[in-house]
Amino acid sequence: MSRKLKATQGSALLEMALALIVIALVYVAALPWMTRQQDAVAAKSLSNDHTQFAAAASAYFQSNRAAYLAAMKDGTGADKLCLVRVNPVSGTGVPTYNANLHRCAFDASFLKYQSALPITAGATNSYGEKWVAIFKAVYDRDIPPKPTGGVEMMVVSANLDGGPAAPAAASSYDRALTGAGFLEGNGGVVPDADRSTCVASRAAGKYEACGSGWRVNLADFLAADELTMFTNRLSN
């Protein structure tokens, strides 16, 4: 992959959590010390869960790299490779291939069906959301653009069931920062507002995911309708 990052036609990746990359339950500093300690333990546990999923997703992609490159190029086989919310019996699911972004994504249900993730792995994380691995083929700047063979990967926490969005609380960003710390350079956050170092602003039309030494434009990974659904959850 060209970068090691941790970001349905219509409804699969619609409601992205305000803290996308790593979501952790760590309360604000005003709460009692013991409570913060308990939440730090929860954040560590969640980071381990994130690491397990990311490793399984990366390994499965690499084992089927040629097929995924073809799928991201023109949709070949995408109906079987790019799925979320997969039925454990039939293997059918919601497609995530996007032709404009040359994007393909899958979640834990897909990996479980492919026996690439233990069946005992949790279906959701501590936020009741699901881990999703998004893969995007890298294209050069020629006219027309041509694939370079490189692929970017981003793992996000997303609501795939169309349920109500989680409330946008200021503490969410702090919680995400704490959780991201356990993953060191591989973890990051999406802010709930324009925080200068990482931007999420409807006024500026700019939405980022940021970690230690890296930042990603969410528009590179999310389709227009998915990005709109995410931005509707911002407070600014």
Side-chain angles (χ1 to χ4, degrees):
M1 298 177 192
S2 61
R3 277 191 277 171
K4 187 178 181 182
L5 302 182
K6 298 298 195 212
T8 76
Q9 297 178 357
S11 65
L13 302 176
L14 290 180
E15 294 184 80
M16 309 305 293
L18 286 179
L20 285 173
I21 310 302
V22 179
I23 310 297
L25 297 177
V26 181
Y27 294 138
V28 294
L31 295 181
W33 179 86
M34 183 58 74
T35 301
R36 296 200 307 270
Q37 288 297 103
Q38 293 172 345
D39 288 331
V41 172
K44 175 60 176 175
S45 175
L46 188 62
S47 71
N48 290 338
D49 180 55
H50 172 278
T51 299
Q52 179 190 40
F53 173 78
S58 177
Y60 187 82
F61 177 87
Q62 293 292 3
S63 296
N64 300 277
R65 184 182 180 89
Y68 273 102
L69 287 176
M72 290 186 288
K73 180 180 180 181
D74 57 17
T76 301
D79 58 328
K80 295 180 176 60
L81 295 169
C82 310
L83 298 171
V84 296
R85 295 167 58 186
V86 173
N87 183 296
V89 177
S90 66
T92 58
V94 180
T96 62
Y97 168 68
N98 183 282
N100 294 328
L101 296 174
H102 298 286
R103 182 202 72 185
C104 180
F106 53 72
D107 64 358
S109 69
F110 174 83
L111 291 179
K112 287 181 181 181
Y113 182 78
Q114 300 296 339
S115 300
L117 191 67
I119 196 67
T120 55
T124 60
N125 57 34
S126 297
Y127 265 24
E129 297 177 341
K130 299 177 182 179
W131 296 119
V132 180
I134 306 176
F135 298 89
K136 179 178 180 295
V138 179
Y139 276 66
D140 61 25
R141 297 184 179 181
D142 289 350
I143 301 177
K146 295 186 293 295
T148 66
V151 177
E152 295 178 335
M153 171 187 176
M154 182 167 68
V155 173
V156 303
S157 176
N159 184 333
L160 303 181
D161 299 322
S171 59
S172 297
Y173 186 68
D174 298 319
R175 295 170 184 173
L177 284 176
T178 301
F182 284 111
L183 290 169
E184 301 178 344
N186 294 327
V189 297
V190 169
D192 51 0
D194 186 350
R195 294 180 178 264
S196 298
T197 55
C198 197
V199 178
S201 170
R202 279 197 295 264
K206 187 175 183 180
Y207 312 98
E208 297 177 327
C210 306
S212 179
W214 61 265
R215 64 178 57 210
V216 171
N217 182 359
L218 290 181
D220 290 339
F221 287 86
L222 302 183
D225 56 346
E226 297 164 354
L227 192 61
T228 296
M229 197 61 114
F230 165 71
T231 60
N232 286 341
R233 301 176 62 183
L234 298 178
S235 59
N236 64 333

